[in-house]
Amino acid sequence: MIKPLLVQTGRYFIALTFLVALSNKASAQTDADAIMIPKNYLCTGAMYSHSDWDHYWEGDFKRTNGNLGHVSSQMVGLMANYGVSDKFNILVNLPYVATHASAGTLAGQNGLQDASLFLKYMPFEIPVGKGVISLYGIAGVSIPMSNYQADFLPMSIGAHSRNTMARFLVDYQLSNFFTTASAEYVYRSNITIDRTAYYTTEEHYTNQVDLPNVMVYNGRMGYRSESWIAEVVAENYTSLGGFDIRKNDMPFPSNKMNWTTLGANFKYTFSKPSGLELTTGGDYVISGRNVGQSTVLHGGIYYLFSIKKQKKEKK
Amino acid sequence: MPVYLDRDMKKNFYYLLPVLAAVVATLSSCNKTIVERNSQFQALSPAKLDLNADTWKPVLLTSVTQFPVATPDAISSPAYQADLNEIKAYQRGITDDQKALIAYWSAGAVLRWNEILRDLVAKHNLPPYQNDDGTYPAPSSANPFAYPQFPFSNPPYAARAYAYVSAVQYDALLAAWHYKNVYNRPAPYKNDATIQALVPKSDLPSYPSEDAVVSGSAVEMLKLLFPTEIAYIEQKEADQKLYRMIAGANTRAEWDAGEALGKQVAGVFAARARTDGTGAAIGTPAYWHSLENNTAATGETPWISLEYPKRPPMLPLFGKVLPFLFPAATVPTLRPSPPPSTNSDQFKKETAEVLSYSKNPTRDNEAIVAFWADGAGTYAPPGHWDAIAAEEFVKQNYSEVRWARNMALLNMAEMDAAIVCWDAKYFYFNPRPSQTDGAIKTLTGIPNFPSYTSGHSNFSGAAATLLTYLLPDRGTKFTDMAQQAAMSRLYGAIHYRSDCEVGLVTGKAVGNYAVQRAKTDGADQ
């Protein structure tokens, strides 16, 4: 019922968008944007996000639950992005998540969630008219970093699957305005739960759960300059399978979790001290299925620097 | 995605190798096929035919001849030959789907119907959603399709359903064994060499069909217990009937005779079920209030629902339901002595212990809690014990009638454990730990009924006692499991230690009634 946080992590990463003024090669921060950092640069930082919902969907049925009240999750993420080349970045992220329900008796959960690693490659930049189209291929994996309980929704901190992701992304920039569209396929491994039998639409006698794979579509547009990025983001997350939560049943990791969010992000890059960046933003679930109607707010602080000092002047 | 290495990347290629290896390793585990345990059960090939089962003690039947079964058509008759030709036609055109039916059903009729029932329990084990005014609708057997559908197969209801279905199958099979011995009709594949046996061959007479008896009695019972599922269960019955004919194990007439016998025996059990007190077990608002007031009058803190909005207590009069293994008058004699007073130091100590389990959950404890939770949307604790038992019984190569006898003993014990436990719960009406101390957060859903004693502990104590008797070579396996199941409720912070420990003792006492019956029912002599 909480959105699988790996994907949220991807969204939180949006907050990490920051920019180094390098013509149209801005610094990269997420697996879902068109921003790269240059060769031999490293960007590290920390972000915090807060998610909260009180309405959620059981299938199509939207409701609240007096035994949950508001379900919130907080995340602290550490990230790093390294410019292997101007066209090839590596991003890693390590989130810690804690959940809480404001009503009822269910205990909150917390722990290290899933570490992710993305390879981000921009093979082509093509001038089109006065603007530039760039194409990206992004591949990633995520792996649970602790033995947290996936089968305790909505309090679980994640789905505990090993995920493999592939994203294709197109960006068009004209002057300081940009539009980015991407599609991502997420392959999710089976998970092992503590129960040896469970009911979906029939009883299963196994501790293995087949999580549906996922398609994610992301569109964003806005303004980027040397000191500012401001963007609006729409995202759709669609489970390729899974089943609906029945009325008044408990959620389950292999539910068909779908949602569409709208959000906005801002980033400010200081000229002094150079390399310091602050981000903030948020989003809201405008429609969903078997998920909470989350409102997410996030903020982050990052530092971008060259790890080869002799080259810094060239930049 | 094509990857073109530029010069910079080549330099860094060796750094990337571990990354690429990780990606490949993840992708290579792409096979998501899951093999479920119950798909691995082999075709049942009983070690013993238990031909004397017609001398075993029935549960409700007055005699194994209570219902007649007509003499079968002679083997030389055109009717029988026509039935054999039907089998031959099926076997000639057998499809993959039909082979799958054989693989599924040949594991055993009692086993598969028990699984079907577990499915139905899980499907219907959902507490009703509240009305707009904060009250709750109750399922109605008179209008079963209206929300909330009838039934809400909560643990007591589930225990009762498993008991009736298992017991009716047992009685019906005793009658079937009688007529099998009387008519001594060999299986179709023994009467006609051109009919293949697609199941292990057996010397058990095939008229009336034991599968049909199991199916017919279960279907008729389930019409009462799960009235919204008639189409589903009749489809299962049709599948099973087809399987028996395709497999060369029964003719149509053998099936029909068995099905008719099963349905007649089910009439006896259905009549008992209609008057066993379950229909009134939900109580009335006045009764719910009296429970609270009576306990408050003793100076003890009464239970209150921890749900929002507050939900009426689950089946408060289930303790008055008619048991199978002993008279109703025995129920109060099995009631445990009172829990620690809610004003006592002992109670405070036990509450503090629950709080410490709530505050310091280990991952191992979380796993134990989840394994035994068996809450909403599951087959409930008696279903869990049925699953445990079934996975042991498949190793034993029991005859169908012994399968039914052992499942009946187990599930009558589970139902009676529910009755005795519910009697104690509503007699003492003791608060849950989270009511006593709001700081106690739970590692599983908190059940909506009083605390003392733990239902899981009663179910588990009863089941383990009976299973240990039936399968002594398993040593302490079942009692160890029961101990863990009981303690899981303390680890989950939804029960005090007393609830669990005393519940196990009471459950064991109920289980001993099942053992006593087992020792004298004729099956173990």
Side-chain angles (χ1 to χ4, degrees), chain B residues 460-470 478-479 504 507-509 511-512 515:
Chain B
S460 301
T465 300
L466 188 264
L467 291 176
T468 302
Y469 167 77
L470 294 175
F478 302 119
T479 46
L504 271 179
K508 190 176 175 192
N512 276 329
V515 170

Side-chain angles (χ1 to χ4, degrees), chain A residues 50-71:
Chain A
H50 180 273
S51 157
D52 180 277
W53 53 263
D54 65 344
H55 284 73
Y56 65 100
W57 289 272
E58 291 171 339
D60 293 328
F61 177 57
K62 189 176 180 182
R63 61 170 292 183
T64 57
N65 191 328
N67 303 304
L68 294 170
H70 282 260
V71 175

Side-chain angles (χ1 to χ4, degrees), chain A:
Chain A
M1 199 180 310
I2 57 170
K3 290 179 265 173
L5 285 163
L6 169 78
V7 175
Q8 282 198 335
T9 302
R11 292 187 15 244
Y12 294 149
F13 252 131
I14 294 160
L16 309 182
T17 48
F18 41 161
L19 180 79
V20 183
L22 296 165
S23 68
N24 66 341
K25 268 179 280 176
S27 71
Q29 303 316 243
T30 94
D31 62 297
D33 66 23
I35 303 170
M36 302 284 271
I37 61 171
K39 183 180 175 183
N40 292 329
Y41 272 70
L42 183 67
C43 177
T44 62
M47 62 157 311
Y48 170 83
S49 81
H50 180 273
S51 157
D52 180 277
W53 53 263
D54 65 344
H55 284 73
Y56 65 100
W57 289 272
E58 291 171 339
D60 293 328
F61 177 57
K62 189 176 180 182
R63 61 170 292 183
T64 57
N65 191 328
N67 303 304
L68 294 170
H70 282 260
V71 175
S72 60
S73 58
Q74 301 184 81
M75 186 190 85
V76 176
L78 299 177
M79 67 79 65
N81 181 12
Y82 175 63
V84 178
S85 79
D86 292 353
K87 293 185 168 189
F88 185 71
N89 285 186
I90 296 177
L91 297 81
V92 294
N93 178 44
L94 181 63
Y96 178 90
V97 179
T99 62
H100 175 75
S102 68
T105 68
L106 289 182
Q109 304 281 294
N110 62 76
L112 276 179
Q113 199 221 31
D114 307 337
S116 62
L117 181 152
F118 289 96
L119 309 180
K120 185 173 183 181
Y121 183 52
M122 179 183 65
F124 301 111
E125 279 183 292
I126 309 156
V128 177
K130 292 178 178 174
V132 175
I133 287 180
S134 46
L135 301 177
Y136 295 73
I138 300 141
V141 294
S142 73
I143 294 171
M145 286 290 107
S146 68
N147 186 24
Y148 64 83
Q149 221 181 342
D151 181 23
F152 189 44
L153 291 171
M155 307 315 296
S156 292
I157 63 170
H160 212 264
S161 58
R162 285 174 291 110
N163 297 355
T164 308
M165 294 148 281
R167 180 188 293 269
F168 292 91
L169 182 148
V170 180
D171 180 78
Y172 178 67
Q173 176 143 4
L174 179 65
S175 176
N176 283 329
F177 296 94
F178 71 94
T179 303
T180 310
S182 66
E184 179 184 43
Y185 182 80
V186 183
Y187 171 86
R188 304 202 294 167
S189 70
N190 292 343
I191 60 170
T192 303
I193 60 174
D194 298 324
R195 289 190 269 171
T196 54
Y198 57 90
Y199 187 84
T200 56
T201 54
E202 59 183 349
E203 191 72 30
H204 298 280
Y205 291 91
T206 172
N207 61 356
Q208 300 292 300
V209 181
D210 177 1
L211 299 189
N213 297 329
V214 171
M215 277 303 301
V216 184
Y217 301 95
N218 184 289
R220 49 215 302 145
M221 58 190 301
Y223 174 89
R224 53 188 179 217
S225 73
E226 292 185 14
S227 53
W228 279 101
I229 291 180
E231 63 176 2
V232 293
V233 183
E235 182 162 279
N236 174 266
Y237 176 105
T238 301
S239 294
L240 307 174
F243 70 101
D244 283 336
I245 306 171
R246 295 171 297 160
K247 197 169 184 176
N248 227 27
D249 196 1
M250 301 297 284
F252 190 70
S254 65
N255 285 140
K256 184 180 192 68
M257 299 184 196
N258 295 340
W259 67 79
T260 302
T261 58
L262 280 181
N265 300 305
F266 304 93
K267 190 191 70 176
Y268 181 71
T269 304
F270 290 81
S271 50
K272 277 189 180 176
S274 171
L276 179 66
E277 307 184 338
L278 295 178
T279 67
T280 187
D283 62 58
Y284 178 67
V285 173
I286 56 171
S287 71
R289 188 178 189 95
N290 305 308
V291 295
Q293 187 165 28
S294 308
T295 301
V296 176
L297 294 172
H298 53 73
I301 180 165
Y302 307 95
Y303 186 59
L304 176 77
F305 56 98
S306 169
I307 58 172
K308 289 195 178 170
K309 281 175 183 166
Q310 72 279 12
K311 289 191 177 179
K312 194 169 182 180
E313 289 176 1
K314 282 167 67 182
K315 305 289 173 187

